[in-house]
Amino acid sequence: MQDLEQGVARFRRDVFPAKTELFTRLATTHRPATLFISCSDARVVPELITQSEPGELFVIRTACNLVPAYAPGSADGVAAGIEYAVAVLDVSDIVVCGHSGCGAMTAVADGLDPAALPAVAGWLRHADASRARTTAEGGAGTVAALVRQNVLAQLANLATHPSVARALAGETVALHGWIYDIGTGTVEELDATGRPSALAV
Ligand SMILES: [Zn+2]
C-alpha cells in the first residue's frame, strides 16, 4: 500500500503539473474514441501498450477478456459498459485484446475444479464457444490457439449487443481482435479466421 501512496505523491508532484491543460479539459469532457476490452491480468496495461493519454480509451477489463453475449433483462456490468461506450460516447472502434500466458485461458484449456473456484468456473463457462472453436480448428490443448479463438468468439458476442449491432449496421463502429505478447511486447491483429499479423514493427 505504501508503494501506491508514494505513486500518488509522484503523480501529484511530477505528472499532473506537466499535463495541467489536458486534465483541465478532461475535467468536463469525456470523448474516448476507442472501447478497449482486455483481461484483468496486471501485466496487460492498455494505455501503456497503445501509448494512450488519459481520456482516450474507455476500458473494460474482465477475467479472460470475456464478453458475455447479450442477455436481455440481466443486470450485466459488462453489457452496460459496452452500451454506454457505443450509444452514448460514440466510440468508433472496439478492440478485444487477448494476451499470452493468460492464467484463466490456461485454466479453460486444462480444466478447473468448480468446487474450489465456483465463481471463476461459472464465469469461464462464457469461454465454452472459444474452446469449441479451438477444438474445431485442431488446436485443442494449445493455450495460444485458445487465446486467439477466444478473442474471435468475444467479437462475435459483442455483435449480439443491440448497441453494437446497430453501430455495425450503420458502419459507425469497427471491431478489432488483438493479441498482446507479454514477453516480446508484440501486438498482433487477427483476421476473421484468426490468422495473426503484426500490428506494428
Ligand atoms: Zn488473462
Side-chain angles (χ1 to χ4, degrees):
M1 195 62 204
Q2 205 184 341
D3 288 351
L4 298 190
E5 289 175 13
Q6 287 170 351
V8 171
R10 267 204 312 280
F11 170 72
R12 294 280 302 127
R13 185 183 65 235
D14 302 332
V15 179
F16 189 88
K19 297 189 175 191
T20 310
E21 214 172 292
L22 171 64
F23 288 114
T24 301
R25 180 166 53 79
L26 291 179
T28 54
T29 312
H30 185 209
R31 300 298 297 171
T34 304
L35 166 59
F36 197 99
I37 301 173
S38 77
C39 183
S40 300
D41 192 300
R43 301 164 297 175
V44 180
V45 184
E47 291 82 358
L48 182 69
I49 65 178
T50 62
Q51 287 295 286
S52 296
E53 290 283 10
E56 292 181 344
L57 299 181
F58 188 87
V59 178
I60 296 174
R61 302 185 68 151
T62 66
C64 259
N65 43 272
L66 290 172
V67 178
Y70 181 66
S74 68
D76 177 343
V78 176
I82 292 166
E83 187 177 83
Y84 187 75
V86 175
V88 177
L89 299 175
D90 281 328
V91 296
S92 56
D93 294 277
I94 304 177
V95 176
V96 174
C97 185
H99 69 99
S100 65
C102 185
M105 279 280 100
T106 305
V108 170
D110 294 350
L112 185 74
D113 177 9
L117 294 170
V120 175
W123 175 251
L124 293 181
R125 292 297 308 273
H126 291 300
D128 283 354
S130 315
R131 199 167 45 209
R133 294 173 75 122
T134 312
T135 304
E137 73 151 16
T142 313
V143 174
L146 183 57
V147 166
R148 275 199 309 277
Q149 289 301 328
N150 183 56
V151 166
L152 296 182
Q154 306 323 305
L155 292 175
N157 283 351
L158 262 175
T160 67
H161 290 253
S163 57
V164 178
R166 198 160 43 237
L168 285 171
E171 298 183 350
T172 57
V173 79
L175 308 186
H176 311 272
W178 288 11
I179 306 290
Y180 169 58
D181 186 86
I182 294 169
T184 64
T186 310
V187 178
E188 293 178 328
E189 177 148 31
L190 302 178
D191 69 13
T193 66
R195 210 183 353 258
S197 58
L199 195 65
V201 286

